[in-house]
Amino acid sequence: MSTPEARLINLGITLPEPMKAVANYVPFVISGQHLFVSGQVSSTPDGLVTGRLGETMDLPAGQEAARRCGINLLAQCKAALGDLSKVSRVVKLGGFVNAHPLFTDIPQVINGCSDLMVDVFGDAGRHARSAVACPTLPLGVAVEIDGIFEITN
């Protein structure tokens, strides 16, 4: 069975340096057997992915923005744990989409991140989830996603 890191390589994904907190919070907290990762915004090595779904972005662009959030979540997990194999389950994702009021494909946008979690962790990547639209997000980003992960020592 391949490891999460091996699956990332097969997917052609290199994890970026984890993003630093931009306000009064920490990027992650470990409590008991759970890792709580603060909201990760849509960004690439080239900068923030900004825009509003249904206005300046279409569904595929939103899904890619959510995938970028997932990559950033994984970067925080790696920073917290040192090894993604210590993630035994993706428990829950909370997705927020900067969307025009008439844009309703919010769940499909967040699938960009959910699909990545399943690709990386297999069945252990299947999770509970919320997906909501917002009139704006910090820094004008298109998507923000936080996560709760069950971990092993």
Side-chain angles (χ1 to χ4, degrees), residues 34 73 89-96 107 110-111 113-115 117-118 122-132 145-150:
H34 290 93
L73 281 166
R89 177 84 195 210
V90 180
V91 176
K92 184 170 191 297
L93 298 178
F96 305 90
I110 302 302
N111 279 349
C113 182
S114 292
D115 293 347
M117 294 301 152
V118 174
D123 281 342
R126 298 193 185 283
H127 51 272
R129 185 179 90 177
S130 57
V132 297
I145 302 175
D146 60 19
I148 302 170
F149 302 83
E150 185 176 358

Side-chain angles (χ1 to χ4, degrees), residues 55-110:
E55 190 172 282
T56 62
M57 297 179 79
D58 62 10
L59 179 58
Q63 290 170 323
E64 180 57 29
R67 182 178 173 84
R68 294 305 312 183
C69 292
I71 291 169
N72 293 329
L73 281 166
L74 294 174
Q76 292 291 354
C77 288
K78 177 101 171 151
L81 304 171
D83 180 356
L84 291 178
S85 294
K86 292 182 179 179
V87 172
S88 58
R89 177 84 195 210
V90 180
V91 176
K92 184 170 191 297
L93 298 178
F96 305 90
V97 178
N98 184 350
H100 183 277
L102 297 178
F103 183 84
T104 59
D105 289 335
I106 307 306
Q108 291 76 17
V109 170
I110 302 302

Side-chain angles (χ1 to χ4, degrees), residues 5 9 19-21 38 50 63 67 74 88 95 102 104 108 111 116 121 147 153:
E5 276 91 353
I9 291 168
M19 296 182 74
K20 305 279 189 241
S38 296
T50 60
Q63 290 170 323
R67 182 178 173 84
L74 294 174
S88 58
L102 297 178
T104 59
Q108 291 76 17
N111 279 349
L116 176 65
F121 296 110
N153 293 333

